[in-house]
Amino acid sequence: MESLVRETLKKLEPVQDGVAELFFRKLRRVYPTERFSSVDIERDQGGSLLKLLDTAVETIHNTHALMPTLEEFARHLAHIGVTEGTLDSISEVLLLTLEVGLEKCFTKEVKEAWQKFLGMLRAMLKPPMSLEIKRMQSTTFEKNTIGPRDDATISEGASPPPTGPRVVSLS
């Protein structure tokens, strides 16, 4: 698997910009209203996508070395709105792109090797992505629970609202 993925990835190097452009064009067709529609994302991520794949291929058997790169990429994906379910679809779009980019070199064996490789990457990306999504949701919740009135009251020198249970006198 590893050698087939490595060989075919090397074949894409001369046309990496075209492959990235094709990938994002196909991705926008699948997710037309998602954050993938930004041309800036395509320009910024085109080379990054192939670099990530190259790094992953070179270090796939050394997960300790690979994980920091994948964790950073997972955080980035979470910030542009990718979910675990979306990640599966993105892998399918990448396979379709590879098929077009590699043309006759995209054999059944190559496809199976890439499916296995991308499955391994997805499995390693999902936990840090899920953690980042939860962290972002938690941060959003915290921001939404402290309103501007509370901040203004505290900044004006007034005592902050009580934090303990509220005691109501019935007399």
Side-chain angles (χ1 to χ4, degrees):
M1 171 209 58
E2 185 181 333
S3 62
L4 275 176
V5 170
R6 182 178 288 119
E7 288 169 22
T8 54
L9 189 59
K10 294 288 182 210
K11 289 180 182 183
L12 293 174
E13 283 178 2
V15 293
Q16 71 180 18
D17 292 338
V19 170
E21 181 184 334
L22 178 62
F23 171 73
F24 283 102
R25 195 171 347 124
K26 287 181 174 292
L27 194 59
R28 283 193 300 271
R29 280 192 204 135
V30 175
Y31 296 102
T33 60
E34 298 287 334
R35 291 181 170 99
F36 306 116
S37 62
S38 168
V39 175
D40 292 334
I41 289 175
E42 180 178 324
R43 194 176 318 116
D44 294 343
Q45 299 306 312
S48 298
L49 173 68
L50 293 175
K51 278 187 213 168
L52 172 72
L53 292 173
D54 188 50
T55 300
V57 168
E58 294 302 320
T59 57
I60 196 69
H61 293 294
N62 184 358
T63 55
H64 181 71
L66 179 58
M67 280 314 292
T69 301
L70 289 181
E71 287 170 353
E72 180 181 333
F73 190 64
R75 283 190 298 274
H76 170 74
L77 291 174
H79 283 272
I80 63 167
V82 175
T83 63
E84 290 181 30
T86 310
L87 191 58
D88 295 338
S89 298
I90 291 171
S91 293
E92 290 301 315
V93 171
L94 183 56
L95 278 174
L96 292 171
T97 304
L98 291 169
E99 183 175 5
V100 172
L102 291 169
E103 298 173 335
K104 293 177 184 174
C105 295
F106 195 78
T107 63
K108 180 182 175 189
E109 293 79 20
V110 168
K111 181 178 182 176
E112 289 171 356
W114 273 98
Q115 285 173 322
K116 185 175 180 182
F117 176 71
L118 292 173
M120 291 169 54
L121 285 182
R122 282 193 317 271
M124 291 190 284
L125 280 169
K126 286 182 179 182
M129 185 186 313
S130 181
L131 283 173
E132 184 65 14
I133 290 169
K134 287 177 186 172
R135 189 197 65 71
M136 288 169 30
Q137 290 169 341
S138 170
T139 302
T140 301
F141 175 76
E142 288 172 10
K143 284 181 184 176
N144 289 335
T145 57
I146 299 176
R149 183 174 155 240
D150 296 347
D151 293 339
T153 304
I154 293 170
S155 66
E156 291 171 4
S159 301
T163 56
R166 192 169 156 188
V167 178
V168 178
S169 172
L170 296 176
S171 52

